[in-house]
Amino acid sequence: KNDDQIENETQEEAQEAMFCMNGAQMDGESIKCELLQPEPKKGKEVEKEKDKEKEKEKAKEKKKRSDSKSKSRSSKRRSNVKKERKKEKPLRIQKQEQRQESQ
């Protein structure tokens, strides 16, 4: 009999995993799941967790800034392409003009 523990980020994730796996079959054995309460954290662990959260927030902010920059660049590219397309006449109109000139 094997006992394993899996940690989830949120209570909802843990409940969903338990709902999906409890009673499932693996290698001919039935899986039994139960929720465990997390162990209380000590001082250093709490500080490390806070540092990790701060790093995640910084990474999110940095990503938002880079996403907004890339969006502005891509919108500039699109506007340049639209301007070029407006300058060119549609192929159908170009062919009509060629026919008229040749007649």
Side-chain angles (χ1 to χ4, degrees):
K1 184 176 181 179
N2 295 333
D3 288 335
D4 291 317
Q5 291 183 359
I6 300 172
E7 289 186 31
N8 297 92
E9 290 288 322
T10 64
Q11 183 75 15
E12 290 81 23
E13 287 179 358
Q15 288 175 342
E16 184 178 345
M18 189 177 112
F19 176 77
C20 293
M21 293 302 296
N22 198 23
Q25 296 283 321
M26 183 178 285
D27 296 331
E29 305 259 341
S30 181
I31 298 173
K32 179 184 173 189
C33 300
E34 56 187 49
L35 291 177
L36 302 174
Q37 296 299 320
E39 294 178 10
K41 295 182 179 174
K42 298 177 183 175
K44 288 184 180 179
E45 291 176 355
V46 172
E47 289 177 21
K48 286 181 182 178
E49 190 170 298
K50 286 180 182 178
D51 290 341
K52 285 182 183 179
E53 288 176 16
K54 286 179 184 177
E55 288 177 17
K56 285 181 184 179
E57 289 298 321
K58 286 180 183 178
K60 284 181 185 179
E61 290 176 19
K62 188 175 180 181
K63 185 177 180 183
K64 284 180 184 178
R65 280 188 250 128
S66 67
D67 286 347
S68 65
K69 286 180 183 178
S70 65
K71 286 179 184 177
S72 64
R73 289 183 196 139
S74 63
S75 63
K76 286 179 185 176
R77 287 187 210 123
R78 278 189 242 125
S79 64
N80 290 339
V81 169
K82 287 180 182 179
K83 287 178 186 175
E84 290 174 12
R85 287 181 184 165
K86 286 182 181 178
K87 291 178 186 176
E88 295 177 7
K89 294 180 182 179
L91 185 61
R92 177 181 50 121
I93 294 174
Q94 289 176 0
K95 287 184 178 181
Q96 286 177 352
E97 289 176 350
Q98 287 174 354
R99 286 184 203 137
Q100 289 174 355
E101 289 174 6
S102 64
Q103 291 177 351

